[in-house]
Amino acid sequence: MAKICMKTPLVEIDGDEMTRVLWAVVKEKLILPFVDLKTEYYDLGLLNRDATDDAVSAESAHAIARLGVGVKCATITANAARQEEYSLKRLHPSPNATIRAILDGTVFRRPIIVNRIKPSVNTWKSPIVIGRHAYGDVYKAAEMEIDGPGKVELVYTRADGSERRVTVAAFEGKGIVQGMHNYDASIRSFARACFLYALQEKLPLWFAAKDTISKIYDGRFKAIFNEVYESEFKTQCAAAGIEYFYTLIDDAVARVVKGEGGFLWACKNYDGDVMSDMVASASGSLAMMTSVLVSPSGVFEYEAAHGTVQQHYYRWKKGEKTSTNPTALIFAWSGALSKRAELDGLPELADFAKRLESSVISAIEAGEMTGDLAKFSVPAPEKILNSWDFIDRVAKLMRA
Ligand code: NAP
Ligand code: MG
């Protein structure tokens, strides 16, 4: 069988633990036999990040900026326990944060829908995609413990030295205080990325915040979304039949649970953190959630939403063939190859990416699945497959 050709290489970013083990199997069994794969490879395994003083993380992000499309394996975000486990020189920042900061992107997470796996919310028919603003708010907040009576103020000192102050609270006893921020430029890129994604995927776009309570802070998010819509996207959205609407976050949550899905939900940073886990687990399994980072400059990084599945890795090291679900990893590859195909005008490669996804879905729908899905499958599968057997079944369907 002649292999499918590529033009531009993908940026391939390898990672850690169980996902690194499965990464190699997915490539060997599902990609390399069919595609004359071209990649520029970066090893973001923890040991290589340490050996390169983490330079490799930034290099991989610059490669995505240069080549346009990357595919990334899950990576360990080091903490004290990991520093000891891997004898690291120091604690490096999360590679995802490094890549996001360089590409200035927004992360979109979409569950993979399979007929046999029933969502916990039985009205959901189509995926709910979460677009999470990945900068600021509580994630970059300054916090302080208040140890007794006194006044807390916000003080803004302008570049020219002049000041503005507002009182946060007068404390009569102990308490806590927090100062959050965001930048217009960051909110604007977030809004743009959401409109671009909605147009690309032909999904209605919802944005929700709490501007009735937070009139200035959330009010600014609402105003910037509206301004970006009116000035850049209204005509395109109308032409594509795509609706944009703003609502309050509590109203959005109520509508999501009663609705059928099939829309992009743009969330502020904290809302996106919480709601993406809610949508993922209500849709079945963390291993059925894909994730793509879209930068305002139009470059894309595809990955699975889950982590390195650490506990499975320790069992694999002891010789067990674990039942770790490779679906989201496979979809990271198909997503990246499909985007490469679109950008390079390669219909054969686009067909391959579709066939890869439909083979995974067909396998699961035929009852061939890993343990995480077996719990939600109706009817229950006759047996649970390990990852290697599952990948073999998919490979067989690819050849059928
Ligand atoms: P995790 O790797 O997502 O795993 C959490 C649990 O979810 C697993 O123990 C497993 O449950 C289940 N799970 C996740 N993916 C699965 C899959 N493909 N198949 C079957 N079950 C799956 O999260 P974590 O254990 O909190 O984090 C482990 C490491 O990953 C950490 O070092 C963290 O820094 C890193 N991480 C990386 C990324 C990223 O690179 N994007 C994201 C998140 C976390 P059971 O054990 O019950 O089977
Ligand atoms: Mg979270």
Side-chain angles (χ1 to χ4, degrees):
M1 188 169 54
K3 290 193 190 181
I4 298 162
C5 290
M6 293 180 65
K7 274 187 202 154
T8 318
L10 274 183
V11 180
E12 176 186 352
I13 304 177
D14 212 341
D16 289 301
E17 301 194 311
M18 203 60 219
T19 42
R20 186 182 182 102
V21 173
L22 293 177
W23 190 259
V25 185
V26 166
K27 265 178 75 177
E28 184 206 325
K29 303 272 178 146
L30 300 179
I31 315 277
L32 293 173
F34 307 96
V35 179
D36 191 8
L37 186 67
K38 283 189 183 166
T39 71
E40 200 172 294
Y41 178 87
Y42 292 84
D43 182 1
L44 264 61
L46 190 50
L47 288 174
N48 193 47
R49 276 184 272 145
D50 199 48
T52 61
D53 288 319
D54 205 28
V56 69
S57 297
E59 282 163 15
S60 72
H62 290 299
I64 297 176
R66 176 164 44 81
L67 293 172
V69 186
V71 58
K72 180 180 170 291
C73 183
T75 45
I76 293 170
T77 299
N79 55 18
R82 298 302 205 153
Q83 184 166 22
E84 200 183 316
E85 182 182 358
Y86 286 83
S87 310
L88 303 177
K89 290 187 265 184
R90 68 179 72 84
L91 286 184
H92 304 289
S94 142
N96 287 333
T98 302
I99 294 170
R100 246 182 347 238
I102 291 169
L103 300 179
D104 181 24
T106 298
V107 175
F108 295 94
R109 293 195 157 178
R110 174 200 281 261
I112 301 158
I113 302 290
V114 179
N115 275 330
R116 196 175 172 127
I117 310 300
K118 300 292 172 212
S120 316
V121 180
N122 58 21
T123 52
W124 289 0
K125 295 201 173 73
S126 309
I128 294 167
V129 183
I130 302 270
R132 173 180 170 191
H133 184 209
Y135 179 79
D137 304 349
V138 73
Y139 301 83
K140 284 269 181 200
E143 301 188 317
M144 211 188 330
E145 280 173 14
I146 302 301
D147 51 19
K151 184 168 77 165
V152 174
E153 291 176 290
L154 281 180
V155 184
Y156 160 38
T157 313
R158 290 193 186 83
D160 68 7
S162 62
E163 273 186 5
R164 272 177 66 194
R165 287 169 183 265
V166 293
T167 300
V168 177
F171 285 82
E172 286 174 4
K174 289 186 177 182
I176 41 183
V177 65
Q178 182 182 63
M180 298 198 295
H181 77 280
N182 225 304
Y183 301 119
D184 282 9
S186 174
I187 302 168
R188 197 165 287 118
S189 342
F190 169 52
R192 279 202 186 103
C194 289
F195 281 107
L196 287 171
Y197 188 93
L199 281 165
Q200 178 188 303
E201 301 294 324
K202 311 222 172 346
L203 292 170
L205 173 60
W206 300 13
F207 176 57
K210 192 74 181 178
D211 68 300
T212 44
I213 300 298
S214 170
K215 291 189 170 59
I216 293 179
Y217 200 102
D218 281 20
R220 180 74 72 121
F221 274 83
K222 178 183 174 182
I224 290 178
F225 260 78
N226 196 50
E227 179 194 306
V228 168
Y229 173 65
E230 291 287 339
S231 65
E232 294 177 46
F233 292 98
K234 197 173 182 175
T235 323
Q236 286 179 73
C237 284
I242 284 167
E243 185 198 13
Y244 164 65
F245 93 104
Y246 172 84
T247 187
L248 288 171
I249 185 73
D250 32 1
D251 178 51
V253 169
R255 284 170 188 254
V256 162
V257 173
K258 282 189 294 190
E260 289 189 1
F263 53 87
L264 167 60
W265 183 8
C267 290
K268 288 177 64 200
N269 208 350
Y270 175 81
D271 297 341
D273 186 351
V274 177
M275 294 305 166
S276 68
D277 281 13
M278 190 270 286
V279 169
S281 64
S283 303
S285 160
L286 218 75
M288 298 297 281
M289 193 78 159
T290 63
S291 181
V292 56
L293 177 75
V294 180
S295 87
S297 64
V299 306
F300 301 80
E301 181 217 36
Y302 293 81
E303 64 171 342
H306 61 78
T308 60
V309 216
Q310 184 181 3
Q311 297 309 323
H312 292 215
Y313 177 64
Y314 296 146
R315 297 196 331 246
W316 175 81
K317 282 221 292 198
K318 286 187 191 146
E320 181 183 328
K321 282 205 154 179
T322 58
S323 185
T324 314
N325 187 347
T327 299
L329 277 184
I330 300 171
F331 272 64
W333 276 98
S334 59
L337 289 170
S338 166
K339 179 51 77 178
R340 205 55 279 168
E342 180 193 322
L343 296 175
D344 290 349
L346 300 170
E348 267 196 286
L349 188 63
D351 285 348
F352 168 79
K354 274 202 202 108
R355 194 150 50 90
L356 180 53
E357 295 185 354
S358 62
S359 301
V360 172
I361 290 172
S362 302
I364 299 171
E365 287 183 347
E368 317 266 22
M369 65 186 78
T370 46
D372 57 318
L373 293 183
K375 287 174 247 171
F376 299 95
S377 171
V378 182
E382 279 168 22
K383 67 179 229 192
I384 288 171
L385 299 182
N386 68 43
S387 310
W388 291 260
D389 289 345
F390 176 75
I391 291 169
D392 282 341
R393 302 299 160 92
V394 175
K396 206 169 148 198
L397 289 173
M398 297 282 295
R399 291 197 160 84

